[in-house]
Amino acid sequence: MAQVQIDNVKIAYTDAGSGRPVVLIHGYPFNRSLWNEQVAALSGSYRVIAPDLRGFGESDSSDGSSTMNRMAQDLAALLDHLGVPRATFGALSMGGYVTLAFYKQFASRVRALILADTRAQADTEEAKQNRAQQAEKALAEGMAGIADAMLPKLLTPETVSKRPEVVKRVRDMMLKTKPEGAAAALRGMAERDDQTSLLSKITVPTLIVVGAEDAITPVADSEKMNQGIAGSRLVVLENAGHVSNLERTEKFNEALLDFLSESSS
Ligand code: MLT
């Protein structure tokens, strides 16, 4: 496993293939294995870098709150370590929150954006309170209760009933997450800025992907980003929920590969 120490926090990452760099940023409460199929599909033509965000996978946890800005700074430090000045960023859900925070701080380091199953808006007051409760629950009881409650929101009813291998994959990722890492990210997500006003400042090619049945960041959120970002393209994947890269892997990869080859010309 490759790793780098950033601010006394060990950050683990995958670095596969060669070519134009593509950074893939996972959502909550997952880890970089979320992207295994995308790493396999892209690394024949691109250098694919997929970190475990702080508190997730094989990276260390940090106390308190893992803010989106802090995680974006971790990414900048990781790219410095790897000698990568500029990259395309592909991100799912919380990864998208981190990516928008990255764009705000380091726009010149972003060549293109892929925003999957995410949104630009901040949390509502109700969502913030819910995050605080979830953080307490994770710390008191571990991840099993959180995983059980989240699963039906992450995947379509059809995936839940007919694709036990996908359900197991998603559940196992959640169970491997350290409760303190999950709690810190929940606090960080609750504190995140509203990035709606950033959308009109995004000047790089942008692909937006969303599962038609996404119950956490619904299609309407992607439509808002698509309206706000000049020249962006929206792909809605039928028969997919929030984890659209796992539910419609082939179509998801096709959309990424098409976009990457167009945005390189
Ligand atoms: C994620 O998939 O990263 C989270 O569900 C996003 C969120 O809770 O807002």
Side-chain angles (χ1 to χ4, degrees):
M1 179 213 13
Q3 61 182 71
V4 59
Q5 198 80 15
I6 298 169
D7 253 13
N8 296 323
V9 171
K10 178 188 77 188
I11 298 290
Y13 61 92
T14 295
D15 184 2
S18 60
R20 210 150 44 84
V22 179
V23 182
L24 297 177
I25 306 153
H26 65 81
Y28 165 91
F30 305 135
N31 58 60
R32 70 191 198 275
S33 74
L34 173 73
W35 298 116
N36 285 351
E37 287 78 2
Q38 284 68 47
V39 174
L42 270 51
S43 58
S45 313
Y46 301 93
R47 179 179 184 184
V48 187
I49 299 159
D52 281 334
L53 295 170
R54 59 170 62 209
F56 294 93
E58 294 173 289
S59 292
D60 290 341
S61 300
S62 56
D63 292 336
S65 168
S66 295
T67 64
M68 304 301 104
N69 286 337
R70 177 65 260 180
M71 293 201 263
Q73 285 152 13
D74 290 344
L75 293 179
L78 171 62
L79 294 183
D80 289 346
H81 168 73
L82 296 175
V84 173
R86 198 160 175 249
T88 292
F89 284 73
L92 187 124
S93 200
M94 180 183 74
Y97 310 157
V98 174
T99 296
L100 292 175
F102 186 95
Y103 193 92
K104 198 168 195 171
Q105 295 177 73
F106 310 106
S108 64
R109 302 192 73 167
V110 180
R111 182 184 178 116
L113 287 171
I114 300 156
L115 298 170
D117 300 282
T118 190
R119 60 158 64 95
Q121 307 95 284
D123 277 0
T124 60
E125 280 312 311
E126 190 188 339
K128 285 182 192 179
Q129 278 168 24
N130 188 39
R131 300 244 197 239
Q133 282 162 11
Q134 293 291 305
E136 291 312 313
K137 187 174 161 72
L139 292 172
E141 299 169 20
M143 292 303 286
I146 299 223
D148 289 340
M150 275 189 87
L151 261 174
K153 293 187 213 145
L154 292 168
L155 302 168
T156 66
E158 189 170 331
T159 302
V160 171
S161 64
K162 298 201 182 130
R163 296 178 68 192
E165 73 292 352
V166 176
V167 175
K168 182 174 181 333
R169 169 100 176 264
V170 171
R171 191 161 197 278
D172 285 352
M173 272 193 290
M174 294 197 276
L175 293 181
K176 273 194 198 142
T177 296
K178 296 175 271 294
E180 58 277 20
L186 284 161
R187 295 187 193 110
M189 284 193 281
E191 282 172 41
R192 76 185 189 280
D193 294 332
D194 189 309
Q195 303 287 18
T196 307
S197 63
L198 180 73
L199 300 177
S200 62
K201 300 188 185 111
I202 294 179
T203 53
V204 296
T206 301
L207 170 69
I208 299 165
V209 185
V210 65
E213 296 173 57
D214 187 333
I216 295 184
T217 48
V219 173
D221 290 338
S222 283
E223 284 169 345
K224 277 187 198 145
M225 291 193 294
N226 193 38
Q227 278 153 19
I229 303 174
S232 59
R233 181 194 310 164
L234 171 63
V235 173
V236 180
L237 297 177
E238 298 302 325
N239 304 316
H242 187 60
V243 198
S244 62
N245 68 316
L246 289 186
E247 290 187 279
R248 296 300 308 278
T249 303
E250 220 168 289
K251 288 274 175 214
F252 189 97
N253 290 353
E254 199 179 291
L256 260 56
L257 285 163
D258 284 352
F259 173 73
L260 288 169
S261 80
E262 284 165 29
S263 60
S264 65
S265 50

